[in-house]
Amino acid sequence: MLGPMDRWMIATVVAALVAVVALWTVRRQRAEIAIARTTAAERQAGLDDARAERRQSRDGLADALDVGLLDVDASLHVRRANPAATAMLAGTTGNVVGMSLIQVFLDPAAEAVARGVIASGTAVGEVRMADADGPAMVIRGTRTSGGGVTLVLTDVSELRRLQRIRTEFIDNLSHELRTPL
């Protein structure tokens, strides 16, 4: 039979063993957490690198395009403009980054196209810069995954001028053919 002293000694040994096992478990879990954090940080760094590479590739492609490309945020302010867009719009507004669409185009139709894109996903419109004789641009837009808008600008000024000349020629020819000699 065990005496009271022996029971206390057994209880103390069992408590010490439980404490050692708990301490060992906590240390093992902390090590696993540290490894998981390191792995997560490495994965995040890899994702960030891939995202930066995609962005750089996309920006390089956008810079090489002959058509204007504007990235617009949800508040309809220009976040980025490729060189073609800057060249198309520079004559009227200068640097467009940070400006609202109404400031850039001076035409509410451009803002209406962007709002249409936000509402439906895509939209197309035509605007004239500055005045009736200013450059004409077709604006095609699509919604981005971040809630913004990408607008593609195509200068159709020469096409509209040729259409006007053709219409005037046909009108004049029709008038001349109806006029008696």
Side-chain angles (χ1 to χ4, degrees):
M1 180 141 178
L2 295 174
M5 199 58 147
D6 293 335
R7 288 183 192 156
W8 281 105
M9 187 159 307
I10 291 172
T12 305
V13 170
V14 169
L17 285 174
V18 169
V20 168
V21 169
L23 182 62
W24 178 78
T25 303
V26 167
R27 285 187 180 169
R28 186 174 53 98
Q29 288 176 344
R30 284 184 180 164
E32 289 173 359
I33 290 171
I35 291 170
R37 283 183 180 158
T38 302
T39 303
E42 290 171 355
R43 286 182 182 170
Q44 185 63 43
L47 288 173
D48 290 344
D49 290 345
R51 197 174 292 129
E53 186 177 320
R54 273 196 321 264
R55 186 177 302 118
Q56 184 178 10
S57 176
R58 185 193 69 207
D59 290 349
L61 177 64
D63 290 348
L65 292 175
D66 290 335
V67 296
L69 194 68
L70 295 177
D71 286 332
V72 180
D73 60 19
S75 65
L76 303 182
H77 285 79
V78 177
R79 288 188 308 215
R80 184 183 185 289
N82 72 341
T86 302
M88 286 180 188
L89 301 170
T92 56
T93 58
N95 186 11
V96 298
V97 175
M99 297 174 71
S100 70
L101 287 179
I102 197 74
Q103 291 172 314
V104 172
F105 289 98
L106 303 174
D107 189 342
E111 196 170 277
V113 170
R115 290 192 191 285
V117 169
I118 291 171
S120 67
T122 61
V124 178
E126 187 170 328
V127 297
R128 283 222 175 250
M129 299 293 295
D131 59 17
D133 293 331
M137 289 188 207
V138 170
I139 302 174
R140 290 177 181 83
T142 186
R143 189 174 28 218
T144 63
S145 60
V149 175
T150 297
L151 298 176
V152 178
L153 312 175
T154 307
D155 188 350
V156 292
S157 301
E158 184 65 15
L159 178 63
R160 297 300 179 248
R161 186 183 74 77
L162 292 174
Q163 287 174 337
R164 190 179 70 242
I165 289 171
R166 185 188 72 190
T167 302
E168 289 173 2
F169 174 76
I170 290 172
D171 288 346
N172 287 338
L173 180 64
S174 175
H175 174 75
E176 292 299 327
L177 289 174
R178 280 185 273 153
T179 305
L181 295 175

